[in-house]
Each structure stands twice: as structure tokens, then as C-alpha cells.
Amino acid sequence: MKSTPPEYIMRIPASIYKQAIDDLKRPHPFAFERVGFFSTSVSKMHNGKCIVTITEYHSLADSQYIDDKNAGAVISSESIRQCMQRILKTKKGCFHVHLHNHSGKPSPSFTDLSSLPSVARSFFNANPDLCSGYLILSKNSFYASIQNPNPSVSIEPERITIVGYPMSFSFKSINAKKSDHHDRQTFLGENLEYLLEGVRVGIVGMGGGGSHIIQQLAHIGIKNYVLFDDDIIERSNLNRLVGGWDSDVAKKSLKVNIAKRLIRKILPKAVVNPIVLRWQNNPEELQQCDIVIGCMDAFTDREQLEAECRRFLMPYIDIGMDVFQLPGQAPHIAGQVILSMPGSSCMRCMQFITEEKLAFEAGKYGVAGNRPQVVWPNGVLASSAVGILIDLITGWTRQENVLKYLTYDGNSGVVVKHPRLNYTKNECTHFCLTETGTKIF
Amino acid sequence: MKLLEDQIEELKRISPSLSIAEEGGFTYIFMKNFKLPENCTPATMDVLLLPMFKDGYNYRLFLPQIPGNIPSLNWNARNVRILGHTWNACSWAITRTDLRLIEMLSLLLKPLRK
């Protein structure tokens, strides 16, 4: 029986990508170009898709190049052997990587096509369960070929993402058409339609926060959604669940189905995957998202979701609100929006998640309780989160590597940068970029 | 967290193929095909020992599934994601904080015994 080749999603941390670019741009004493290697981790899904995360870049020593003017770079067999040894030792796949120093999508040259497939096959043969191949970088795009058990078939990933602020995307089969829909948001960049067509957003929690978010994302034109919530709408949700109707309460409509209806009323061709489960019960659907937004009450849920997003190199945006009241004082609304970017500070680094909060919650058996919730703070926080997401994918503000931890004072109506960011380094001591993908024991 | 080599060696006597992994600032010890108490079904499972304070517990033992034929327990960590895998743990508090790895494992297995 003929088997269908798997589909691949490839993710590269921006810091490792930059390390590779900086190295590959260095002049060599005699070679015209440089070569390096990426280590990869692969997570295979039940639906045949595979997520490939780049975990490390390995520069090639000057001495490993052979002086041969017939090609841009000829490297020693010893360097290939070292890569194969590394595959066996680390249980990580390997990609040959080099740079075509132009803009636009690169494609393999005649020399690349005649030499690189055999290199990729050597890597593949060292451990066929891993993911190996070759990758060509350009100034602003990428080409990847993944080695398949059938040597005559090479597979180009469905999507390649550079995970940084801002992100970069290369989708294999997206042909976005110009639409009047975007006439008033052209400042978001000339690739806007392409990005909105290709980017897949996961939203966990379709209550007061999540329902606002999907409405705004649909208005902007995001086409692909994975929505998680195992709950139905109740009358007490009508005070804030955008898109929820009185008739939904009687019908006990699922929140994800209400969200799907709302998205489709705005964007009839949107691809919406409503999942009536906790995300932990279907993590593979989450892992295929490019960006995840969490709208949950419990800190333990946030902690797990952030860890999963770090492991699969997905930026995670967290929103939440609470109402406090001290004796004799007016109630106080507070909230936060946090971007947890793989490779940068996590929610523990920012001291938003602490052992004290988790222990307190565990004492209540993980139940966050029926906290007060109202529609307008959710709207403010959701709008801020959508703003971060759109900047992340389009880069329209031209900010780079920024930490985002916004704090909301609902009584004064002010959103500001959280003061803790002044004392937070833009690095993470809790999650390591070399430890991505499903851990192989 | 730096685990003491002699305690790891001690643990290897009952689980030779253990491995250590880190996530979120926590150190976990993975033990493949670990032999559970006699009454448990299945008899062996891959288990994950967390030898440090988290979520209000000094130590925790995570299992990929809830074993059969065990006393009734409060499995308050169900389908939690750690290291890209799904785990379960019961609520079993150990108050001592000076235990060796093998001692914590022994105490964490206690509620599974009949």
C-alpha cells in the first residue's frame, strides 16, 4: 500500500536563526560561502503531521572546508561523519544549512540538488526515526527539504516559522488574494493577506476573554482557529460572553460552537476547529498552532499551557482579570496581558506565576472559584492581547525582542507596562531552547 | 536542582534505565518500566518522580495512567502535561523535606498499595 508522506511544520527560534545567519555571513579564507548544521527535535502526531523544532546551531570550522572552486563550499567527509555521530549520541536530527544572500524565497541550485540530497540521506540513515534534511536561508525567507524514507521523495514543510518578535513565516501553499476587507489596515504591511491566510491561532478558554479575542481576530481577518473549551454557556455567562445569545442558554450551546458561529458570521471561509475538551486531552491540535492565547482563571492551567508552548516553540499570550475588595473599600478591578516568547522571560521570570500562588490554588484542589467577571475589562485585555498578536505576526511597530507584561487598573481604566519589567532580564532560566519537542527518554 | 550522584546511583539499583530531565525550572527523574506495587495493574509503568516542591507538594510521583486495583485516591493532577507527555498524580502529601530519592519514591508508592 502506498503511504502518504507526512506533513511537516518547522519552527526555528529567532536567536538560533540569528546565530546561523551571523555565522554563515562570515567570509571564509577560500570558500565562497559557508555551511552550518541545525540539530532538530521531531514530534510525530497521530494525524501524520510532524513538528520539527530547531534546537541548536553548529558552526563548521574553517579547516573542514576543501579548496575546490567548482562549488561555493565543499566540505570534508569528516564533517558529515561528525554530524552523524552527533545524531546517534543526542537523538536529534540534523539539517545542512547554507545561505543564499538575496531576498525572496530561495530555491536549491543545480549544485545543491546534485549534492545535498545525499548528505540529507546520510543524516537520515544515522537514525530514520528523527528528522533530517537541508535548509537554505535567504535574507528574508527559507527553503527546506526533509528527507523521506523514499529517497526519491523530498518533502518541503507546510510551514516554516522563525519564532521571535516579530515572527517570520513561510507557508508552502498559501496564495492570498487582495481584498477590500483590508483597505483600512494596509499599514499593517504588504504581506498582511498572506499572513492572515496562513497563521493558525489557538485559543484556550472561550469565555469572557476568549470570545472577545476571536471576534476581533475575525474582524482583522485571521483565517485559521483552534478553539478549546469543554463548557456550555450558562445564564451567568451572558453578562460577558460576546456572541452568546439568550437562546443559547436554553439550548445549552457549547461555547466553542458559539465562537465558531461568531467567526463564521464575519469570515464565512474561516477554518475553525472547535475542540470540546481541555487542551491537555488533545495537545496535538494545540501544538499545530503558530500562536496560542490563554484565557483561563487557574494558575496551574496557565503554567502547563506556557510549558507546552515553550516546548513546541509557540508564543503564548496570557490574559486574565480579577476583582478584589478590601474591607471598607470599593471593589478594585485588575488584570494583565503577558507575552511569553520562547527564548525570552517566562511568566515565572516575570514573577506572575509563583510557587505561593500554585500552592494556594492546589490547597483548593486547583479550583479558581467563581470569580467576579464583567465584560469591559475583558474587552480591554482582549484588545491589548490582539494588538500584541498582530504586531507579533506583522511587525508593524518595528519593535524587536520586546517583553510584554501589561497591567490593567480597571478602576482608573489605565493599561501600563508592569513595573516588574524594569527588573526583568530578557532571558529565561526556566525553559531551555535546546529542550524543545516531545522529550524522548 | 542538582541531584546528588550517590542518591541517583541508589535509585538506579531499582530502576537501571532512569534519566533526568528539566522543564520550567524543575528537575524530573524518568524511570522506564518501573515496577509498581504488586496489586497494581499493569504491573509496570513509566513513571516520573519530581523530587522538589511544586504546587504545594514536597515531592510527587506522576504516572501515565491511573493504575487499576488500587485503593481509592484523590487524583487531583489528571492529564497534566510535563515534558511533552501526559501524566497523572494523586494528592499524597509528605511533610518531611530531608528524604533521599529512594525514600521519597517509597513513600509516594505507599498509597498505591492494598
Side-chain angles (χ1 to χ4, degrees), chain A residues 283-304:
Chain A
E284 292 185 354
E285 287 296 335
L286 182 91
Q287 291 157 14
Q288 293 168 58
C289 296
D290 297 303
I291 302 172
V292 174
I293 304 181
C295 314
M296 298 165 298
D297 291 330
F299 284 96
T300 179
D301 284 337
R302 293 182 156 109
E303 186 204 28
Q304 278 187 60

Side-chain angles (χ1 to χ4, degrees), chain A residues 265-276:
Chain A
K265 287 284 177 192
I266 302 164
L267 286 179
K269 289 185 180 169
V271 179
V272 187
N273 184 3
I275 296 177
V276 194

Side-chain angles (χ1 to χ4, degrees), chain B residues 85-100:
Chain B
H85 297 267
T86 303
W87 303 94
N88 303 278
C90 65
S91 175
W92 192 256
I94 297 169
T95 49
R96 282 180 62 183
T97 55
D98 58 344
L99 298 175
R100 296 175 71 78

Side-chain angles (χ1 to χ4, degrees), chain A residues 281 303 308 311 362 439, chain B residues 23 54-55 74 79 81 85:
Chain A
N281 294 334
E303 186 204 28
E308 189 85 355
R311 190 156 277 285
K439 175 75 180 170
Chain B
E23 184 178 83
K54 187 173 186 296
D55 300 351
N74 173 18
N79 290 344
R81 297 283 296 170
H85 297 267

Side-chain angles (χ1 to χ4, degrees), chain A residues 66-78:
Chain A
I66 293 166
D67 195 357
D68 184 340
K69 299 287 181 275
N70 292 318
V74 179
I75 61 172
S76 68
S77 55
E78 169 64 16

Side-chain angles (χ1 to χ4, degrees), chain A residues 53-71:
Chain A
T53 52
I54 304 290
T55 58
E56 241 176 310
Y57 175 73
H58 308 277
S59 180
L60 186 62
D62 284 1
S63 57
Q64 294 294 334
Y65 291 78
I66 293 166
D67 195 357
D68 184 340
K69 299 287 181 275
N70 292 318

